Amino acid sequence: MVLTTLMFCLLIGFDGLLWGAIIGYKRIYFPIGQLLLFSIGIGFVFFFTYLIGSVIGFEGSSTFLNQVSGLVFLGIGLFQLTHQSGFFFGRLVRNLFIIVNIDNIGYGVISAVQEVHPITSLFVTLSFFVLFITGIIIGSSARLPYITNNNKVFPSLVLIIIGMYKLFFA
C-alpha cells in the first residue's frame, strides 16, 4: 500500500513539476498563497473522488479520464502554438486547476478501488506543492540555447507531446 500511495503522489506531483517548469520558464508570477490554496484544492479533489470511487467501486472511468486529459493537453498545446495571446496563460490558476484535476479525478477513483488509505490526499497535496515549486526553480534557471531561441514554441510542444502520450498510451 505504501508503494501505491507513493505512485499516486508522484503521478500528481509530476503534473506539478511539469506545470511549474513551464510557468518558471515563462517567468510568470505565481504567488505562494495561490499555490498553497491550489495544492489544497488538488488534495481536496483527490479525497472527494476517492470517496466517490469507494462508493461506486468502479475503475472503468479512469482510462476515459486519461484520454480526456490527453485531448485537453493536446488542444491547449495546439491552441498555444497557433494563437499569440493564448488560452492557458490568460486565466492561469483556473485553467491549471481544471487541467490538473482531470487527471486527479481518475487517480482518486483508482486509489479507492485499490483500497489506498484516504490520508494519501495529504501526501498528494504536499507532493504537488513541493514539486510545483521545484518545477518553477528548474524552469526559471534552465536556459538552453535551443529552448531560448524557440521560447514561444517549446511549452506548446511539451503540452502536445504529453497530450499525445496520454491519448494513445494511457
Side-chain angles (χ1 to χ4, degrees), residues 14 27 30 34 37 39 54 60 79 86 93 106 115 153 162 169:
F14 179 73
R27 302 214 186 258
F30 203 100
Q34 280 185 348
L37 290 174
S39 300
S54 64
F79 192 86
V93 176
E115 297 178 358
V153 175
I162 290 172
F169 300 111

Side-chain angles (χ1 to χ4, degrees), residues 9 14 23 62 65 93 101 106 110 135 139 160 169:
C9 292
F14 179 73
I23 288 170
S62 61
L65 289 170
V93 176
N101 279 317
I110 292 170
I160 290 169
F169 300 111

